[in-house]
Amino acid sequence: MRRYKYERLKPDTRTTRLVTVFPGSFNEDLHLSLRTANVDETRYEALSYTWGSTENMASVYFGDRQSPSSEVSEYLEVTQNLEVTLRYLRLEENSRDIWIDAICIDQQNTEERGQQVGMMGAIYQKASGVVIWLGESSNDSKMALTLLRYLSSRVKIDWQRQKVISMTDGETDLTRHKIELPFGEEQWRSILAFLQRPWFHRLWIWQEVLLAKTATIYCGYDTCKWNDFRKAILALQSKEPPKNMSKDWQTPYDDVLHHIYHLTCRRPFKGDFLSWTERTERCKYSDPRDRIYALLHVIDRAESTVGMKPDYKETPVNIYREVILRDLDRSRELNMLKSCELGNESLGLKPSWVPDWSTPQASDHTVDGRATFGAKARARHLGDGRLAVSGILAAEIDSVEDHFLQEPLHHARVERSKVINLFAELRDQIERSPSELDEDQLAAAFCRTLCMNMFADSYVPAVSGYPYLEQSLEFLSSLLFAQPGHIKPPPHAYLDQVAMHSRGRCLFTTKDGSIGLGPKKATVGDRVSSVLGCNSPLVLRPDDGGNFTVVGECYLHGMMTNEALLGPLPSEWKPVAILVKAGYEFGFANAAGFDKVFEDPRLGPLPAGWKIRNPEKRAGPENWVLGTDAGKELPWPEDPRMTVEALEARGIALQELLLI
């Protein structure tokens, strides 16, 4: 018997191979056949699973032994996990047509592998259904699925608002945030064990399940519809964590639930590439090139990576650089520089302006920065490993404190007492600060910086789940400056935001007394810059040759809302996020909160000949177009008052910064 030999697929077509699994009992040998098919013209299912270990491979055989005309003369080795999967999915009476990547793609053919990976979005979209295989069942998996199906059957979901609604008036306890679910420790542990199964942490599943027409979870012979599972996860996410959880599994539960929540609530084609990489950075994959290729089919169709063809002959560094340059060419933005983090490289030598997406970042991205809002990048790739960008060196780092938290998990809830203890370290920092601010101003600066200004009242209307500035400031001021015994009780929501945004970061001050949270490798002498086209300030390290290394993004109080380019906001205005039909959009509100605008009050009138077309404020500024009668147009937020020429006319001394 010889090893199966693949026939060449026609390139540049929508042709793939499909596996026919012939009927049989569970313990009989697996017999398959392979045929080519156009994904638009045939009916099939697609398998989403975990490959498993490549040791002790099992064999599957080609040919239907029940057919006299079929000769079983070829075999193929597959992982033990796939072999067990096929036994469970095989029917006793009928054949089953399934697309399975490990079998349908000639894994030894690099060219074919790239071509078929480029088709995977279409393969999963066109499948009649996606089969999600989690593994064989166990006692705790049966319990977990029973609980999840129960939750799903008792609630309905407003997916637009991500709100859980009770099916009946008598079961509101299932939807009230503060009321725990009536589960015991054994039941909670079964849910945790179920959610920790390897499938949930694969990178490729994001496109496999998000593009599916329908999907069904299989755990042994137990099943659950994917949409029912989604409902149950949102119901769990909306509840207070159970108080009967012991510390050894409370943090893993929080972390895995947060990860799977984003998988179940995410919609394909929504959000930019940067947000997709952030949500999936801790997923598992075998090839660093897949960090890009696995997301090609779920990102916004207008994104830069559309048009990239998977090519496994290219190195990961070249692929990551191509993503940056494609995005720059398409959008004239440099927000992907926010993913750069010095000391976080596993791919060897590369320019510092090329992110290493194969390694999780030590810290989350800064939130909703608008450091150069409305301005497009002026940049050029010099071809010698350097990227020339335009911007301002706005500050120099003068002192650095070690980063606060080193939680290894992506969204682990840190013990609040630990966060409170960390605030004590601020006293020394404040005493050394060269700032001329008084105690109240200094406390406000620290209060906003430590949570990156994520307050409920930074949104109009205010959002639930976030701390309020006044309460947070009262607590921090009393902790830093009050006498013992006069410390205000800490708002838990504020402590949680500080824990989240300070993770893996350092606290720094600049020579002019400003306060910031920076990348863990920031050091004295580094420069804080506003680079046109990047919404967050960047920490850059100068060398003797006039070049700069990207250390990472940062939050710098007083520099997050275009202050480096336009100066401080007038005292009667504050930056806010305003709710419109499409969600929250960046804007401004006056001190009383009665007047809300999307245009920056510092910009002044539009240049002669320009006007806002369709200025429907209720619809949101994303519908605005700045245009001239001559036909020139700029979609919001691009603004003729924020062009390089306009900024230089305002007296802004832009510099060309050479990134290496």
Side-chain angles (χ1 to χ4, degrees):
M1 188 175 294
R2 66 178 182 273
R3 183 180 180 84
Y4 182 82
K5 185 176 181 180
Y6 287 92
E7 294 183 5
R8 184 177 177 84
L9 290 173
K10 294 180 181 179
D12 302 321
T13 66
R14 290 170 68 86
T15 300
T16 188
R17 301 184 185 93
L18 295 177
V19 174
T20 298
V21 184
F22 292 113
S25 64
F26 186 88
N27 291 318
E28 290 181 312
D29 287 342
L30 286 161
H31 289 264
L32 318 173
S33 70
L34 269 179
R35 63 183 175 90
T36 58
N38 186 301
V39 296
D40 300 310
E41 300 171 356
T42 191
R43 182 177 175 83
Y44 62 94
E45 298 170 287
L47 179 63
S48 178
Y49 70 111
T50 303
W51 274 37
S53 172
T54 56
E55 297 181 1
N56 301 317
M57 302 286 277
S59 294
V60 295
Y61 303 97
F62 288 88
D64 182 3
R65 69 178 184 180
Q66 296 179 350
S67 172
S69 62
S70 178
E71 180 183 354
V72 180
S73 59
E74 294 179 302
Y75 75 95
L76 193 65
E77 289 188 332
V78 298
T79 63
Q80 292 279 349
N81 189 54
L82 178 53
E83 199 256 4
V84 170
T85 304
L86 290 172
R87 291 187 181 278
Y88 274 95
L89 297 181
R90 174 170 54 182
L91 305 176
E92 291 194 359
E93 302 273 336
N94 300 304
S95 298
R96 193 170 189 173
D97 290 339
I98 311 177
W99 188 87
I100 305 169
D101 59 352
I103 299 176
C104 296
I105 301 174
D106 182 357
Q107 300 295 328
Q108 307 305 314
N109 185 330
T110 302
E111 184 178 350
E112 178 183 301
R113 184 179 164 205
Q115 188 268 336
Q116 288 288 291
V117 166
M119 271 188 61
M120 281 176 65
I123 289 169
Y124 280 90
Q125 274 184 306
K126 294 293 183 178
S128 60
V130 170
V131 175
I132 299 169
W133 175 253
L134 298 187
E136 295 186 270
S137 64
S138 60
N139 289 334
D140 61 0
S141 71
K142 290 178 180 292
M143 180 185 295
L145 274 172
T146 299
L147 294 169
L148 294 171
R149 286 192 295 256
Y150 164 75
L151 271 181
S152 174
S153 69
R154 308 314 304 167
V155 299
K156 52 187 176 181
I157 306 295
D158 180 343
W159 291 107
Q160 186 70 26
R161 295 187 296 162
Q162 296 287 293
K163 185 176 181 180
V164 184
I165 304 166
S166 177
M167 294 285 282
T168 62
D169 293 338
E171 288 188 311
T172 55
D173 284 1
L174 290 177
T175 60
R176 290 181 181 173
H177 177 67
K178 295 292 184 181
I179 299 179
E180 290 186 32
L181 292 169
F183 300 160
E185 180 169 336
E186 184 182 7
Q187 293 169 309
W188 281 116
R189 285 189 179 274
S190 74
I191 291 174
L192 173 60
F194 186 81
L195 299 182
Q196 286 180 323
R197 286 184 173 238
W199 181 86
F200 290 106
H201 305 280
R202 285 184 61 237
L203 177 60
W204 284 100
I205 68 168
W206 286 68
Q207 76 165 7
E208 293 168 1
V209 74
L210 291 178
L211 296 177
K213 294 175 182 176
T214 63
T216 303
I217 292 172
Y218 286 74
C219 191
Y221 289 119
D222 297 320
T223 64
C224 179
K225 295 294 185 185
W226 176 252
N227 279 339
D228 291 340
F229 177 77
R230 292 176 66 212
K231 290 168 63 179
I233 291 298
L234 189 56
L236 290 174
Q237 177 74 11
S238 68
K239 302 290 283 185
E240 270 282 310
K243 294 184 177 63
N244 61 347
M245 279 189 177
S246 58
K247 290 182 180 179
D248 67 315
W249 59 286
Q250 185 177 32
T251 294
Y253 172 81
D254 285 346
D255 193 69
V256 73
L257 181 62
H258 178 75
H259 168 75
I260 295 175
Y261 162 74
H262 282 293
L263 170 64
T264 56
C265 75
R266 197 82 174 174
R267 289 183 295 168
F269 320 129
K270 299 293 183 181
D272 59 20
F273 179 79
L274 200 60
S275 68
W276 282 95
T277 57
E278 185 175 15
R279 294 300 184 209
T280 59
E281 71 171 357
R282 293 180 185 268
C283 292
K284 305 296 184 184
Y285 50 91
S286 58
D287 191 315
R289 290 166 287 204
D290 291 340
R291 193 72 182 89
I292 305 301
Y293 296 158
L295 298 176
L296 288 180
H297 302 289
V298 292
I299 59 175
D300 189 317
R301 293 299 193 195
E303 277 286 303
S304 61
T305 48
V306 173
M308 281 188 70
K309 293 184 177 180
D311 182 356
Y312 286 93
K313 296 177 182 176
E314 276 289 1
T315 65
V317 170
N318 286 345
I319 293 167
Y320 296 173
R321 179 172 56 231
E322 183 182 357
V323 171
I324 290 280
L325 296 177
R326 278 174 174 262
D327 186 69
L328 175 61
D329 183 61
R330 176 195 66 85
S331 68
R332 293 169 44 230
E333 292 179 354
L334 287 167
N335 283 317
M336 289 193 183
L337 294 181
K338 294 164 63 174
S339 293
C340 298
E341 194 173 63
L342 192 65
N344 198 41
E345 301 91 358
S346 63
L347 299 177
L349 294 176
K350 67 171 184 62
S352 68
W353 52 269
V354 175
D356 183 357
W357 280 302
S358 69
T359 304
Q361 290 187 262
S363 55
D364 292 337
H365 290 151
T366 56
V367 181
D368 222 21
R370 293 294 184 267
T372 63
F373 192 65
K376 290 296 184 178
R378 181 170 67 177
R380 53 199 177 96
H381 183 217
L382 301 182
D384 58 355
R386 294 185 299 168
L387 183 70
V389 301
S390 291
I392 293 175
L393 297 176
E396 182 175 342
I397 293 179
D398 187 53
S399 70
V400 175
E401 293 292 323
D402 288 340
H403 36 284
F404 286 118
L405 305 168
Q406 279 290 11
E407 285 297 313
L409 300 175
H410 182 61
H411 190 67
R413 179 156 24 109
V414 180
E415 292 181 43
R416 288 159 179 160
S417 60
K418 182 187 290 187
V419 180
I420 294 175
N421 292 337
L422 290 170
F423 284 139
E425 300 177 11
L426 294 178
R427 296 178 187 270
D428 293 338
Q429 184 81 357
I430 289 174
E431 290 176 1
R432 293 197 301 270
S433 173
S435 175
E436 297 180 358
L437 302 177
D438 60 31
E439 280 189 358
D440 290 342
Q441 293 171 322
L442 202 54
F446 273 104
C447 186
R448 291 180 183 274
T449 298
L450 292 172
C451 71
M452 296 190 180
N453 206 33
M454 290 301 293
F455 295 103
D457 32 359
S458 296
Y459 294 79
V460 181
V463 294
S464 61
Y466 287 95
Y468 281 85
L469 174 60
E470 184 177 354
Q471 297 170 345
S472 305
L473 187 54
E474 284 181 358
F475 156 68
L476 190 59
S477 296
S478 69
L479 185 68
L480 296 177
F481 303 117
Q483 296 297 319
H486 293 81
I487 296 175
K488 301 283 186 181
H492 287 172
Y494 179 64
L495 300 183
D496 293 343
Q497 288 296 316
V498 171
M500 184 186 308
H501 296 298
S502 296
R503 181 183 67 88
R505 291 192 175 276
C506 69
L507 183 71
F508 67 85
T509 58
T510 63
K511 283 189 173 181
D512 62 2
S514 297
I515 303 161
L517 279 177
K520 63 182 181 180
K521 291 293 185 179
T523 190
V524 173
D526 287 345
R527 305 298 179 87
V528 181
S529 64
S530 279
V531 172
L532 297 188
C534 185
N535 282 336
S536 293
L538 298 175
V539 175
L540 303 180
R541 182 164 300 162
D543 67 12
D544 294 337
N547 302 309
F548 293 88
T549 296
V550 180
V551 182
E553 64 165 348
C554 71
Y555 179 99
L556 183 61
H557 181 67
M559 194 173 149
M560 300 304 294
T561 316
N562 248 337
E563 288 89 347
L565 299 178
L566 301 179
L569 268 173
S571 58
E572 66 270 22
W573 291 98
K574 65 175 183 178
V576 293
I578 303 169
L579 183 63
V580 296
K581 288 182 179 180
Y584 282 95
E585 291 287 356
F586 182 69
F588 302 88
N590 63 8
F594 298 119
D595 195 8
K596 298 180 285 291
V597 298
F598 293 106
E599 286 190 278
D600 193 317
R602 294 166 293 186
L603 285 175
L606 283 164
W610 285 87
K611 62 183 178 181
I612 298 176
R613 299 177 183 170
N614 307 321
E616 296 293 334
K617 293 190 177 183
R618 290 185 180 180
E622 71 277 5
N623 294 322
W624 294 7
V625 174
L626 296 175
T628 67
D629 293 334
K632 186 174 182 179
E633 293 185 347
L634 293 175
W636 186 88
E638 193 172 355
D639 197 301
R641 294 162 290 188
M642 290 294 292
T643 63
V644 169
E645 295 75 20
L647 291 172
E648 290 176 340
R650 295 174 74 106
I652 307 299
L654 296 172
Q655 299 173 254
E656 184 173 71
L657 308 172
L658 299 178
L659 308 183
I660 58 173

